């Protein structure tokens, strides 16, 4: 069996369980080597981008995935175009946030990458990573909230 090379395009979803599970499933099909490509807006501090890349690679490697990575600065499609080499990559995985949260889905990135490269593109939808540690108390609630307009109806609000 030959070793496949899979380009993984992810940024905010790079260390999510959904993406890593998809990579593990792909790894179980045949021998594979992954390269994580993380596009960032040009204004992103390099140290921040490198830190996110390191954290994602560590999470992937704990699942025994053969993976290296790189950061690209620019629009996601431009970064993929720069990294794309048909002699090097056999397939691509694009990981995005769900529908309305994803700027990459707004520009139809998975389909555009597939059209541009002509290879199989697997689209993984992942939930946004939680920034608070597991077990931490929820953030305090400030302000009236989304139901404030209903307060005039007297439900559970201030009683006089």
């Amino acid at each position: 069996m030959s070793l496949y090379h899979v380009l993984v395009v992810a940024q905010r979803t790079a260390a999510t369980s959904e993406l890593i599970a998809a990579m593990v499933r792909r790894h179980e099909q045949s021998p594979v080597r992954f390269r994580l490509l993380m596009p960032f807006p040009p204004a992103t501090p390099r140290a921040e981008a490198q830190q996110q890349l390191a954290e994602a690679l560590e999470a992937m490697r704990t699942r025994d995935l053969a993976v290296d990575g790189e950061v690209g600065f620019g629009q996601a499609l431009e970064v993929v175009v720069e990294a794309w080499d048909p002699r090097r990559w056999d397939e691509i995985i694009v990981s995005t946030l769900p529908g309305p949260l994803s700027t990459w889905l707004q520009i139809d990135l998975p389909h555009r990458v597939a059209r541009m490269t002509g290879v199989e593109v697997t689209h993984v939808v992942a939930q946004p990573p939680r920034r608070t540690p597991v077990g931490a108390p929820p953030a305090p609630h400030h302000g009236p909230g989304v139901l404030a307009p209903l307060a005039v109806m007297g439900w559970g609000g201030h009683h006089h």
Side-chain angles (χ1 to χ4, degrees), residues 51-129:
Q51 177 65 32
Q52 287 186 41
L53 174 65
E55 290 171 4
L57 291 174
E58 182 180 332
M60 292 170 179
R61 289 173 180 151
T62 62
R63 296 297 304 271
D64 295 323
L65 296 170
V67 60
D68 63 8
E70 69 180 285
V71 168
F73 291 95
Q75 297 300 317
L77 189 61
E78 295 168 2
V79 171
V80 174
V81 167
E82 288 175 19
W84 175 248
D85 180 348
R87 297 163 301 200
R88 187 167 182 196
W89 307 112
D90 299 299
E91 56 190 270
I92 299 173
I93 296 173
V94 176
S95 178
T96 69
L97 294 168
L101 298 175
S102 174
T103 55
W104 288 4
L105 283 181
Q106 291 171 18
I107 64 164
D108 199 20
L109 185 67
H111 292 109
R112 291 175 77 179
V113 168
R115 282 193 305 270
M116 180 196 76
T117 62
V119 299
E120 179 181 343
V121 172
T122 301
H123 178 211
V124 175
V125 176
Q127 294 303 312

Side-chain angles (χ1 to χ4, degrees), residues 8-17 19-21 23 34-40 47-71 95 129 131:
V8 178
V9 182
Q11 194 231 25
R12 289 175 52 196
T13 61
T16 60
S17 59
L19 175 57
I20 293 172
M23 293 171 69
F34 297 100
R35 156 76 46 110
L36 173 60
L37 176 63
M38 291 184 76
F40 282 92
E48 179 182 317
Q50 291 296 337
Q51 177 65 32
Q52 287 186 41
L53 174 65
E55 290 171 4
L57 291 174
E58 182 180 332
M60 292 170 179
R61 289 173 180 151
T62 62
R63 296 297 304 271
D64 295 323
L65 296 170
V67 60
D68 63 8
E70 69 180 285
V71 168
S95 178
R131 288 290 177 201

